[in-house]
Amino acid sequence: MRPDAFAFVMATGIVSIAAVDHGLTYVSGALAVLAVLGLLVLVVVAVVSWFRRPPDWSDPDVTIGLFTFVAACAVLDSRLMANSVAMWALAVPAALVWSVLVVLTARNFVRRAWKELQGRARGAWELCSVGTSGLAIVAVALARDTGWHALLLTGVAIWIAAIAIYGVMTTLILARAFAARLDPGGFEPDAWILMGGLAIATLAGDHIHRAGIDAVRDVTVATWCLATAWIPPLVYFAVRHIGRPGARRFAGVWWAMVFPLGMYSAASHAMAVETGWHGLPAISLVFLWIAFAAWIAVAIAGVLRVSARTRHLPSGHGHR
């Protein structure tokens, strides 16, 4: 099982949040149920799979990919925060796993030269920032639930760390992109996390602002504007890439494209409430439908992929 498999839960959960923002209660509820079931199933599969064959914890791609678990718990926490028990049940494992992953990822980075890191950097490396912003949202939600001001300040510190991590990862990714002369053949759907990392930072900043810290408002507006600025180049490279052989073959990384689309919808809705800017509700609604259409397309492609693999299994495979 790939460490970033929890991207399915991230994508499904954020589209559920965007749907409830626009009053699509039944769609949101169905997606929330799928996200919860998906998280439970993936945890069981991961435990069984990694008990038999542990992943290489010295590989940065492994530890970074597992930040999808933290982000998945955080997104579901945001969706279910009306239920205090569910909120704590998701917050505790998210915080524990995040703490371990930060240490392991930092160790893996320190042991490698900058040139090597630059050569391996890709969009998925922004998952460190995404998971950290998600944890900031969780900390703010817990602060509201308990009234502990220390938790709110912890959330602010984590949010600042998320933005700093985004800056480091983006520097590495862009350095590699320019070294490759922005070759469209190097584009992967996970490049959309460059936008998604800023969108979730926007949502985290909005939660902090609504908790009573006004100083973060300007930063939140800036992160939303920067997230918006990423969309044209990402669309450009995606269009150039889509015609290449094999580009439309299903891969689990496609979920990493659905998540930023849904997160941009949720962030734009939050900004609409925050600033009152005209047009933002419409933008949020458009991206909701784009994200939902992408979710359906990726889900269908995944089911067809699994069905094709099942049909090609050798006879008697299931009785070994």
Side-chain angles (χ1 to χ4, degrees):
M1 174 176 160
R2 289 174 55 93
D4 59 1
F6 294 96
F8 163 76
V9 181
M10 292 167 53
T12 306
I14 195 58
V15 176
S16 173
I17 290 173
V20 81
D21 284 343
H22 293 279
L24 302 177
T25 308
Y26 293 113
V27 172
S28 176
L31 290 173
V33 170
L34 283 175
V36 171
L37 292 176
L39 180 63
L40 295 175
V41 170
L42 287 172
V43 166
V44 172
V45 173
V47 170
V48 173
S49 175
W50 295 339
F51 179 78
R52 294 175 178 173
R53 182 181 296 178
D56 181 5
W57 299 111
S58 65
D59 185 349
D61 287 321
V62 171
T63 55
I64 290 172
L66 270 171
F67 275 94
T68 56
F69 173 80
V70 179
C73 289
V75 168
L76 281 180
D77 219 1
S78 296
R79 178 63 180 84
L80 305 174
M81 64 174 54
N83 186 316
S84 183
V85 174
M87 184 167 59
W88 280 96
L90 288 163
V92 172
L96 291 175
V97 171
W98 179 84
S99 301
V100 173
L101 291 178
V102 165
V103 173
L104 291 177
T105 303
R107 181 202 64 181
N108 292 340
F109 269 54
V110 169
R111 290 180 176 179
R112 288 168 170 81
W114 182 264
K115 282 287 187 182
E116 180 185 352
L117 293 172
Q118 178 184 314
R120 297 182 61 175
R122 56 194 181 89
W125 281 24
E126 298 288 9
L127 287 168
C128 297
S129 176
V130 168
T132 305
S133 285
L135 192 65
I137 294 174
V138 170
V140 174
L142 294 179
R144 286 181 174 178
D145 186 59
T146 60
W148 296 347
H149 190 66
L151 270 176
L152 177 58
L153 296 179
T154 299
V156 175
I158 294 173
W159 178 64
I160 293 171
I163 295 174
I165 292 169
Y166 180 89
V168 173
M169 295 303 185
T170 302
T171 300
L172 286 167
I173 294 165
L174 291 182
R176 180 187 181 187
F178 283 110
R181 297 185 181 180
L182 299 177
D183 178 13
F187 179 89
E188 291 293 340
D190 63 12
W192 281 89
I193 307 179
L194 285 161
M195 181 269 280
L198 289 168
I200 192 172
T202 300
L203 194 61
D206 176 71
H207 279 259
I208 293 170
H209 182 256
R210 285 192 283 119
I213 300 182
D214 295 334
V216 305
R217 185 181 184 276
D218 290 342
V219 179
T220 303
V221 173
T223 54
W224 181 85
C225 291
L226 290 172
T228 303
W230 268 116
I231 295 175
L234 288 170
V235 170
Y236 171 75
F237 282 106
V239 170
R240 289 188 64 186
H241 178 74
I242 198 67
R244 300 176 69 90
R248 283 169 285 185
R249 187 179 301 123
F250 172 78
V253 73
W254 285 10
W255 291 114
M257 180 182 69
V258 178
F259 170 78
L261 295 171
M263 182 55 72
Y264 186 77
S265 173
S268 296
H269 181 270
M271 285 299 297
V273 175
E274 180 90 9
T275 64
W277 290 350
H278 298 298
L280 282 183
I283 291 173
S284 175
L285 182 60
V286 168
F287 271 85
L288 163 62
W289 287 114
I290 292 173
F292 187 44
W295 187 94
I296 293 173
V298 175
I300 292 173
V303 170
L304 293 176
R305 179 70 169 172
V306 171
S307 300
R309 285 186 174 183
T310 303
R311 287 197 301 270
H312 287 87
L313 282 175
S315 59
H317 178 83
H319 301 289
R320 292 180 182 177

